[in-house]
Amino acid sequence: MHKTGWGDKVFSTVNYIGFGIFTLLCAFPFYYLFIQTISDNSLSASGAITWLPKGIHFNNYVEVLKVKGLSTAALVSVGRTVIGTILTVFGSAFLGYLFTKRKMAGRVFWYRFVVITMYFNASIIPWFIIMMNLGMVNNYLAYILPAIVSPFYVILVKTFVESLPEALEESAEIDGAIGFDDNKHFSRTFRERVGMYPTEYRTIHQVIEVNAE
Amino acid sequence: MNPALQGETKPQNVKTGISQKYRLLLYASPFLLLILVFGYFPLYGWTYAFYNYKPGIPLSSEQFVGFKWFLSIINNPYQFEEIKRVMTNTFAMSLLGIATSILPVIFAIFLVEIKTNWYKKLVQTLTTLPNFISWVLVYAIAFMLFSYDNGLINKIMIGLGFQDGNINYLASGEYIWLKMTLWNVWKGLGWGAILYIAAIMGIDQELYDAAKVDGAGRVRLMWHITLPGVMPTFFVLLLLSIANFINNGMEQYFVFQNALNKDSIEVLDLYVYNTSMVGNNFSFATAVSMLKSVVSVVLLFVANQCSKWVRGETII
């Protein structure tokens, strides 16, 4: 069904090569750094290593692993990343999603309330004093709590959810994915689907039932 | 009979009796509380801008100086020239940054056109690598590649006969705005594209199929379906970067600055660091960061209003 013409091939080739070049530009410096670290130290210091490592050894890495406190620090970092990421994704996605709900009281105000904090910078000393008053100095929570709501991610989630077709959520509700806490909404959806309000439907149904007896 | 079918039309939860609009706010409240505590409470620190602040002494015993620090930004011709120079650099870097912010969009649109999966993944992985290293390490890399003696680029250029002797690329202040922008692109392009790639993945495939049936070629698909699909994300990020017009951050410029390029590399954030942190003038730094916040928020709402006029929809 899909014909690949001459122009298409040129497009693809240029595309592949273009990305190849940029990828090399991004990756080569890292390769270059890496071959310096595993090459003979005096050779790399004199700038003799250009394309390939010479006198390969791993002593530099062994030395790094001997640094005291490295494992604890690594553990703290990994923990912070894992816990922090989970909570940030949860918190920011939840709040971002709530902001797509047009019914929320003061929605625009609260959204702006969150967003503008991105541009506030109160410098480090008041920050430290706040943390101290909250008892979070030398406390793991200092990493976690302030990061739960990230205004930037809230904006992203909101934009993304708003770009989804609204009908998707409505049809999911009809399928019982969310349920009807809100009776007004139920009535409306019911009317859209059945053509009459639930009360009308019930009345008519009762009439039919009575007539049938 | 199902209780939901009883025709009750008040938007109230049966159990709690709280109407839905406040219930939604209630769900959000713990998160809003966090914003209040960590986003707003520290702002009381802005009062330091009105004092002659010395760290370690309680604020009540500091000397109140009113708007002294705000006025000191422009209070003599020499200082005024300095601010003019710094703001020129700041504006230049921000304009170049906004101009290049379309590049990740193009990157993403063309990357999804690559149909070889392993190649696409390889490109995507390797191009995000630079994002994960700090500016200090970027400088380490820049130093290895561009340094005066033993720098790789110098060696290659001499080897190929393009230049006679070593050139000190990092020290010269020529084209420094362009160089800084290129480093920025190098570091951020692959990473910045991720958001757009995600947005493209969210585009309904049926749109493409329908357009193909109508006889649209590849370029037309990209132009009429993929591009409009990523535009909402792009405009949001554009708005945020406009609001950040005077906040360039200082790390990048801090690591690349030296005596020769300082005049054209010193952006506002770096200037504040150089004058206040090095000179231990904490109140001045606070005054500037306070002004910056105000300018940013104003820019945010101006840009938002513009978006309303131009595109008919607001972003925040």
Side-chain angles (χ1 to χ4, degrees):
Chain A
M1 176 185 138
H2 189 70
K3 266 197 292 184
T4 39
W6 190 79
D8 231 24
K9 272 181 193 155
V10 174
F11 177 95
S12 287
T13 315
V14 173
N15 207 13
Y16 275 75
I17 294 174
F19 275 110
I21 292 172
F22 185 70
T23 306
L24 276 182
L25 280 179
C26 285
F28 179 74
F30 290 93
Y31 169 77
Y32 189 67
L33 270 183
F34 179 68
I35 58 172
Q36 306 294 333
T37 61
I38 59 169
S39 293
D40 190 85
N41 285 355
S42 58
L43 280 177
S44 59
S46 66
I49 311 296
T50 312
W51 306 114
L52 289 170
K54 287 173 196 157
I56 296 176
H57 69 107
F58 295 97
N59 285 346
N60 293 329
Y61 288 94
V62 174
E63 290 299 316
V64 167
L65 290 176
K66 280 183 194 159
V67 172
K68 266 196 177 153
L70 190 73
S71 55
T72 326
L75 213 65
V76 168
S77 291
V78 170
R80 180 189 174 179
T81 309
V82 172
I83 302 169
T85 307
I86 291 171
L87 287 175
T88 305
V89 168
F90 173 74
S92 303
F94 187 73
L95 193 58
Y97 175 70
L98 280 178
F99 281 135
T100 65
K101 296 282 159 199
R102 293 183 185 282
K103 282 180 191 151
M104 182 178 168
R107 182 180 77 115
V108 175
F109 172 81
W110 291 113
Y111 184 50
R112 290 176 176 176
F113 175 85
V114 172
V115 169
I116 59 174
T117 57
M118 258 199 300
Y119 300 100
F120 291 161
N121 178 4
S123 75
I124 198 153
I125 294 180
W127 179 254
F128 180 77
I129 294 171
I130 285 278
M131 289 305 220
M132 203 167 63
N133 290 340
L134 291 170
M136 298 214 301
V137 172
N138 208 358
N139 185 336
Y140 207 69
L141 281 176
Y143 287 142
I144 307 294
L145 282 181
I148 289 180
V149 179
S150 153
F152 181 68
Y153 294 136
V154 170
I155 296 173
L156 279 187
V157 170
K158 180 173 176 279
T159 316
F160 183 71
V161 173
E162 278 177 347
S163 75
L164 294 174
E166 236 169 273
L168 208 60
E169 193 171 350
E170 275 172 18
S171 62
E173 280 181 3
I174 291 163
D175 292 347
I178 294 165
F180 290 98
D181 278 0
D182 177 0
N183 290 337
K184 200 180 195 172
H185 188 192
F186 171 75
S187 302
R188 211 185 57 220
T189 320
F190 190 90
R191 183 157 178 262
E192 279 166 15
R193 283 285 154 141
V194 183
M196 59 184 98
Y197 285 114
T199 34
E200 294 175 75
Y201 181 84
R202 186 182 54 192
T203 316
I204 293 170
H205 231 76
Q206 280 169 346
V207 171
I208 294 171
E209 272 170 40
V210 169
N211 285 349
E213 273 168 14
Chain B
M1 180 169 267
N2 187 338
L5 279 174
Q6 298 193 351
E8 163 93 31
T9 48
K10 273 187 199 153
Q12 273 188 356
N13 186 297
V14 187
K15 281 175 234 151
T16 56
I18 303 173
S19 74
Q20 194 195 17
K21 57 187 247 191
Y22 292 108
R23 206 140 42 82
L24 286 168
L25 188 59
L26 199 64
Y27 294 149
S29 58
F31 302 100
L32 297 175
L33 191 70
L34 283 174
I35 287 285
L36 184 72
V37 172
F38 297 111
Y40 285 87
F41 282 2
L43 293 188
Y44 81 88
W46 278 356
T47 49
Y48 296 171
F50 303 96
Y51 286 86
N52 207 354
Y53 183 74
K54 296 271 177 292
I57 309 170
L59 203 59
S60 50
S61 48
E62 308 268 0
Q63 186 195 355
F64 183 79
V65 293
F67 285 96
K68 178 186 161 192
W69 298 115
F70 292 92
L71 295 173
S72 80
I73 297 170
I74 46 161
N75 65 358
N76 63 55
Y78 169 73
Q79 181 68 25
F80 190 70
E81 283 302 310
E82 280 284 283
I83 286 295
K84 235 168 69 185
R85 177 179 65 81
V86 168
M87 289 319 281
T88 311
N89 293 336
T90 306
F91 278 36
M93 289 317 304
S94 293
L95 280 176
L96 286 168
I98 288 174
T100 51
S101 69
I102 191 74
L103 290 179
V105 177
I106 298 170
F107 186 96
I109 291 178
F110 279 88
L111 185 67
V112 294
E113 287 300 315
I114 287 181
K115 303 298 177 201
T116 320
N117 244 332
W118 67 266
Y119 190 67
K120 189 158 74 181
K121 280 201 180 119
L122 185 78
V123 169
Q124 222 195 323
T125 311
L126 291 179
T127 51
T128 50
L129 269 185
N131 176 70
F132 292 110
I133 57 168
S134 62
W135 278 109
V136 178
L137 281 173
V138 171
Y139 188 75
I141 285 174
F143 188 78
M144 294 197 99
L145 296 178
F146 293 97
S147 64
Y148 184 71
D149 31 45
N150 296 329
L152 183 67
I153 301 295
N154 267 321
K155 270 194 271 181
I156 292 174
M157 293 301 260
I158 292 172
L160 293 175
F162 286 123
Q163 60 189 53
D164 294 331
N166 285 337
I167 293 180
N168 201 343
Y169 291 103
L170 289 171
S172 91
E174 281 176 45
Y175 310 115
I176 194 77
W177 292 345
L178 193 65
K179 287 182 201 162
M180 288 299 106
T181 306
L182 286 178
W183 278 114
N184 237 328
V185 170
W186 179 75
K187 193 170 189 286
L189 185 53
W191 179 254
I194 287 182
L195 281 178
Y196 298 118
I197 291 170
I200 292 171
M201 292 300 137
I203 297 175
D204 194 347
Q205 276 300 316
E206 283 179 26
L207 284 177
Y208 288 101
D209 296 338
K212 271 182 204 159
V213 171
D214 289 346
R218 199 168 182 175
V219 177
R220 278 179 167 271
L221 292 180
M222 286 161 73
W223 183 257
H224 290 292
I225 299 177
T226 316
L227 188 65
V230 296
M231 275 298 135
T233 313
F234 176 70
F235 279 113
V236 168
L237 296 183
L238 183 68
L239 182 89
L240 298 181
S241 60
I242 288 172
N244 259 331
F245 203 78
I246 54 170
N247 314 318
N248 303 102
M250 56 154 279
E251 286 159 20
Q252 181 189 2
Y253 311 98
F254 178 74
V255 295
F256 277 96
Q257 77 167 343
N258 56 47
L260 291 169
N261 64 20
K262 195 178 167 192
D263 277 347
S264 41
I265 205 175
E266 209 173 27
V267 294
L268 186 61
D269 285 329
L270 181 58
Y271 175 76
V272 171
Y273 177 83
N274 283 343
T275 52
S276 59
M277 290 303 166
V278 175
N280 219 348
N281 192 343
F282 188 74
S283 294
F284 177 75
T286 309
V288 174
S289 76
M290 192 173 158
L291 283 179
K292 272 185 2 166
S293 305
V294 173
V295 171
S296 292
V297 172
V298 169
L299 280 175
L300 184 71
F301 284 104
V302 168
N304 193 43
Q305 194 60 43
C306 289
S307 147
K308 195 175 182 179
W309 287 329
V310 177
R311 298 178 60 241
E313 55 180 323
T314 56
I315 287 164
I316 61 147

